[in-house]
Amino acid sequence: MSKEKEDECDKHKQQAEAEAKSTSSDDSDEYQSAGEGEDGDATTPAAANDSTTTATATTPTAAAAAAPPLATVDEPLDYPMHQSVFEDDIKSLQRRLLMSTAQDEVGRKDKHGNTPLHLAVMLGRKHAVRLLLAHNAPVKIKNNEGWSPLSEAISYGDRQTITQVLRMLKLQSREHMEGRREKLVNALRQMQDFYMEFKWDFQSWLPLVSRILPSDICRLYKSGASIRLDTTLVDFNDMRWERGDISFLFRGEAPPRDSLVLLDNEQECFQRLRYEESDMEDEVDVLMSTDILATQMSTKTIQFSRAQRGWIFRANRKELIGGQYQCEIYTIQGLILKQRKRREHLSHEDLQKNRAIVETITKGGTSSNHQPDGRRSSLNSQHTATPPETNTPTAPNGITLPELPRRSSLQAPPATTVTWRQYLDAEVGKCPQLGRPPVHKQSNKTLRATVAMSKDFPLSVDMLLDVLEVVAPLKHINKLREFVTLKLPTGFPVKIEIPVLHTVTAKVTFQKFEFRDNIPAKMFQIPSHYWEDVRRFQDL
């Protein structure tokens, strides 16, 4: 290597080290293209499950020059199925898929955390994508940089591939739920019937944002193997939320295809959640026109300590919640929320439209954002029954369903010049760029929260996890479940603060609980006059 190239490499290395020491701004809106100096620390494969790393664009020459010795005891040197996909050798891939080791290989990660499906969507190998999905290649799995095959498919921009991967995601989600169904039903049967209320208060450290964030009181009924959750908050995602009068039904005694139902009590309609494709075109349009998000809680340094009160004579802090639950208060330290966004697939028009929505919400929205009962909702979540002046499908009760324009596939990025050996020899954390050059932003925020633990609450943490798993399709409920799975102190988390978005936390308080044996069966039935709208809850 020439002296000039060595000096240039040293310069880039020093710049990258300086940027890694700096903390990214949480409120900035600057996105980096590949090669502009990414932030974030590189992680080893062992740490990949606890933290995300920023993609680093590495040229083939630099990757080959910087490659360390690969020979290790536990890690094989080659990944034959990965290689078949990388080199677009369909015949070899077909042979590998017929072997007895196919099921293990199809979900296996290479040193960069990529599965064969990751490589297929990043490189635009459409035939390979179809073959791998036909053999149930895992879709939820993430690579070392925290991205799933669906995320990489959105980045590449081929609509057909995105639809195929999304369809498999729904199918695998359904299979997972059906696999857990018997255990959940048995767990619910063993619990005594009860009624529970828990309140959500959303807060933000950004000025003027907290006052327009929603709040909600969820009412949960459990009878036999059935659960009903009444909520006014349908969805909360990336500073956009949807309000309404919603009931989530889980009926353990019903056939699997009819067990999960969402009721819209305002529009008097319902949708069965079957984790099937149904009409996915709207969902694909949303994915292709918004940021690719990856949010993760890093718990490697998390610590729980007793909260103190008093200035001179310090004592452990206690609190009576709900008028009956004596709680010990703990502070949560070392919890890091990492959020990454990618937008290389978005046009300038997309960016302007998304920015206008966020700015409108941040400024408090407009008067049209208020529901008749005074509740606020986000700008893009108004669900009206006003028929547009176009020829579009009509529901049984006369409500017109709008026909949305479909987004076309993006122009494919240039074919990679990286060879299989260069890809395999590249350092961990310096995966060569495959697919579309990334444009991304990473923000890390250290959170300090509190949790109130009570030994008097009638429900155990394990019981709560079983109940929350049933209603996990609601995203904010799933956030609560993910947080409760942490190794909390002894007791039940009567009040807990959880990160929902990078700038938003939610305080959840279980404020009422009582055992009941007189919950009417009709509460778990679909009203006879409700009509089915398969597109009502498109994000679930």
Side-chain angles (χ1 to χ4, degrees), residues 81 97 101-108 115-117 132 135-138:
M81 187 174 292
L97 291 172
T101 58
Q103 196 58 43
D104 293 331
E105 285 191 68
V106 80
R108 183 182 173 197
T115 64
L117 185 58
L132 292 169
H135 285 77
N136 202 28

Side-chain angles (χ1 to χ4, degrees), residues 87-126:
E87 296 178 346
D88 205 15
D89 189 344
I90 298 301
K91 291 184 178 180
S92 173
L93 176 60
Q94 290 173 327
R95 288 195 298 268
R96 301 297 312 177
L97 291 172
L98 293 175
M99 297 176 64
S100 59
T101 58
Q103 196 58 43
D104 293 331
E105 285 191 68
V106 80
R108 183 182 173 197
K109 291 184 177 184
D110 60 26
K111 61 186 293 185
H112 303 297
N114 289 320
T115 64
L117 185 58
H118 275 99
L119 296 180
V121 296
M122 286 191 285
L123 295 170
R125 312 287 196 234
K126 296 183 181 181

Side-chain angles (χ1 to χ4, degrees), residues 338-371:
K338 300 185 176 184
Q339 184 181 72
R340 303 179 63 203
K341 295 183 180 181
R342 290 170 60 179
R343 53 175 51 173
E344 61 268 16
H345 61 296
L346 299 181
S347 66
H348 180 68
E349 181 182 356
D350 294 329
L351 298 178
Q352 286 185 323
K353 186 182 302 181
N354 295 341
R355 186 177 292 112
I357 292 175
V358 174
E359 288 178 353
T360 302
I361 297 171
T362 304
K363 293 176 181 178
T366 63
S367 58
S368 62
N369 287 46
H370 291 263
Q371 299 280 8

Side-chain angles (χ1 to χ4, degrees), residues 273-320:
L273 299 186
R274 299 173 180 170
Y275 298 100
E276 296 174 351
E277 55 181 288
S278 59
D279 183 8
M280 295 190 305
E281 297 302 320
D282 293 343
E283 191 170 353
V284 172
D285 285 329
V286 172
L287 293 175
M288 296 182 69
S289 59
T290 54
D291 291 331
I292 307 171
L293 297 176
T295 303
Q296 186 175 6
M297 288 188 297
S298 178
T299 59
K300 290 191 299 181
T301 60
I302 191 171
Q303 292 181 342
F304 295 88
S305 59
R306 289 296 304 272
Q308 302 287 303
R309 60 180 176 84
W311 292 95
I312 300 177
F313 300 101
R314 306 285 287 172
N316 291 335
R317 181 182 161 198
K318 295 184 179 181
E319 183 178 344
L320 186 66

Side-chain angles (χ1 to χ4, degrees), residues 160-202:
Q160 183 182 31
T161 300
I162 296 172
T163 304
Q164 291 171 344
V165 176
L166 180 61
R167 181 182 295 116
M168 180 56 68
L169 174 63
K170 292 179 178 292
L171 177 62
Q172 292 177 355
S173 297
R174 183 188 66 187
E175 291 175 347
H176 172 76
M177 186 63 188
E178 291 179 353
R180 291 277 299 157
R181 177 186 172 85
E182 183 177 356
K183 178 182 180 299
L184 290 173
V185 169
N186 290 334
L188 290 175
R189 285 172 178 163
Q190 293 173 8
M191 296 183 202
Q192 189 175 345
D193 294 348
F194 63 84
Y195 167 77
M196 179 171 64
E197 290 183 6
F198 51 102
K199 183 179 180 181
W200 290 76
D201 287 307
F202 293 89

Side-chain angles (χ1 to χ4, degrees), residues 19-163:
E19 291 174 347
K21 294 179 182 179
S22 63
T23 303
S24 60
S25 174
D26 293 326
D27 56 355
S28 67
D29 196 32
E30 296 179 358
Y31 281 73
Q32 298 173 340
S33 300
E36 292 182 0
E38 294 82 358
D39 57 352
D41 299 329
T43 58
T44 62
N49 292 332
D50 294 314
S51 61
T52 57
T53 58
T54 303
T56 304
T58 308
T59 61
T61 305
L70 290 175
T72 60
V73 176
D74 298 326
E75 184 180 348
L77 290 175
D78 296 314
Y79 304 87
M81 187 174 292
H82 292 71
Q83 183 175 0
S84 299
V85 172
F86 196 100
E87 296 178 346
D88 205 15
D89 189 344
I90 298 301
K91 291 184 178 180
S92 173
L93 176 60
Q94 290 173 327
R95 288 195 298 268
R96 301 297 312 177
L97 291 172
L98 293 175
M99 297 176 64
S100 59
T101 58
Q103 196 58 43
D104 293 331
E105 285 191 68
V106 80
R108 183 182 173 197
K109 291 184 177 184
D110 60 26
K111 61 186 293 185
H112 303 297
N114 289 320
T115 64
L117 185 58
H118 275 99
L119 296 180
V121 296
M122 286 191 285
L123 295 170
R125 312 287 196 234
K126 296 183 181 181
H127 195 171
V129 169
R130 290 195 296 270
L131 288 173
L132 292 169
L133 291 178
H135 285 77
N136 202 28
V139 175
K140 285 188 176 181
I141 193 168
K142 295 182 179 181
N143 58 21
N144 291 356
E145 295 169 0
W147 304 113
S148 67
L150 180 57
S151 300
E152 298 296 351
I154 297 170
S155 171
Y156 193 91
D158 182 77
R159 186 183 182 93
Q160 183 182 31
T161 300
I162 296 172
T163 304

